[in-house]
Amino acid sequence: AQKITQTQPGMFVQEKEAVTLDCTYDTSDQSYGLFWYKQPSSGEMIFLIYQGSYDEQNATEGRYSLNFQKARKSANLVISASQLGDSAMYFCAMREKNSGYALNFGKGTSLLVTP
Amino acid sequence: DTAVSQTPKYLVTQMGNDKSIKCEQNLGHDTMYWYKQDSKKFLKIMFSYNNKELIINETVPNRFSPKSPDKAHLNLHINSLELGDSAVYFCASSQTGGAPTEAFFGQGTRLTVV
């Protein structure tokens, strides 16, 4: 069964607007971590933001914030003030102790920022 | 200094050949990984090594074998390459003991089997 679900294969957003990329997860672990990575067309994997399962505050990193709703098992990424350079694939991932700490990735969301 | 470096970046080879991809990390992390990204961009864990011990091995054909000479290196050997092995392979590392960190990825190796 898919542990990470990203239901939006593609998204459009206008420059300077905010956009939310959805991610839901499935785990029976109490301790886990949730990550978002960006993959531009050049191919590298860029870490954006992390949320631990015990963190009470939503994580923020500059223009990125993670809307963590534990009861709903969702970890949506919010990008504020979108820039053209934000156009990329975005992957949500989860790390669990019982998976050897490897990241399980969702299928990704392709974001296109338009002028 | 590159944190996680893998070579080569591109690899084109014929079916049936044996090839290796090298990976090195200079972050002092205790765990290294190999991921495969298919043509639909889906990233799937292949192997994970913690302090030179294999701790997970997802359903990967035994033609793929990871080799870790020390905790800073995790190489991937592939025997008898098949067309379906064409993909981008990413090496990554993270710290899992003590204060866990995010995974740092290499730049990827695009393998094309012809």
Side-chain angles (χ1 to χ4, degrees):
Chain A
Q2 188 68 22
K3 285 191 170 256
I4 294 285
T5 302
Q6 294 181 253
T7 57
Q8 307 150 313
M11 291 278 286
F12 291 90
V13 65
Q14 205 158 17
E15 204 176 1
K16 298 179 188 173
E17 298 292 311
V19 62
T20 298
L21 306 184
D22 294 342
C23 173
T24 56
Y25 60 93
D26 182 27
T27 181
S28 55
D29 276 5
Q30 296 301 309
S31 176
Y32 53 89
L34 296 157
F35 300 79
W36 278 91
Y37 281 82
K38 171 184 178 182
Q39 187 178 39
S41 57
S42 50
E44 70 267 34
M45 294 291 290
I46 301 167
F47 165 73
L48 295 178
I49 196 165
Y50 164 79
Q51 180 86 40
S53 57
Y54 294 120
D55 295 341
E56 294 186 353
Q57 303 264 0
N58 284 345
T60 60
E61 288 286 347
R63 294 186 299 110
Y64 304 107
S65 59
L66 200 152
N67 184 359
F68 181 46
Q69 299 194 28
K70 196 169 181 177
R72 294 185 177 186
K73 293 189 174 178
S74 76
N76 299 339
L77 177 71
V78 180
I79 306 175
S80 62
S82 297
Q83 301 171 356
L84 295 178
D86 293 335
S87 295
M89 282 289 288
Y90 288 81
F91 293 97
C92 180
M94 178 171 62
R95 179 176 65 201
E96 304 164 282
K97 188 175 181 180
N98 67 11
S99 68
Y101 296 105
L103 293 175
N104 276 303
F105 283 89
K107 293 187 176 181
T109 295
S110 177
L111 177 67
L112 183 62
V113 181
T114 59
Chain B
D1 257 358
T2 305
V4 181
S5 60
Q6 55 182 108
T7 55
K9 189 169 181 183
Y10 299 97
L11 184 53
V12 181
T13 187
Q14 289 187 322
M15 269 182 10
N17 283 351
D18 302 337
K19 289 293 177 186
S20 295
I21 307 172
K22 295 187 176 181
C23 179
E24 176 182 5
Q25 57 100 359
N26 62 7
L27 298 165
H29 288 163
D30 60 6
T31 306
M32 295 183 72
Y33 313 87
W34 278 105
Y35 289 86
K36 178 181 180 180
Q37 186 172 42
D38 63 22
S39 58
K40 295 184 179 178
K41 299 287 188 181
F42 185 53
L43 276 151
K44 188 170 169 61
I45 182 70
M46 299 176 70
F47 300 104
S48 174
Y49 254 76
N50 177 266
N51 285 325
K52 292 173 59 177
E53 290 185 28
L54 180 67
I55 56 173
I56 62 170
N57 178 354
E58 294 296 301
T59 51
V60 172
N62 58 13
R63 297 181 295 103
F64 291 79
S65 56
K67 297 272 195 309
S68 182
D70 54 61
K71 74 172 195 175
H73 295 84
L74 182 64
N75 303 325
L76 183 65
H77 299 274
I78 317 169
N79 294 326
S80 304
L81 277 154
E82 300 177 358
L83 292 177
D85 298 332
S86 295
V88 180
Y89 293 84
F90 284 97
C91 176
S93 73
S94 72
Q95 184 65 27
T96 57
T101 68
E102 69 272 23
F104 291 77
F105 283 77
Q107 80 272 33
T109 295
R110 181 174 293 277
L111 172 64
T112 304
V113 183
V114 298

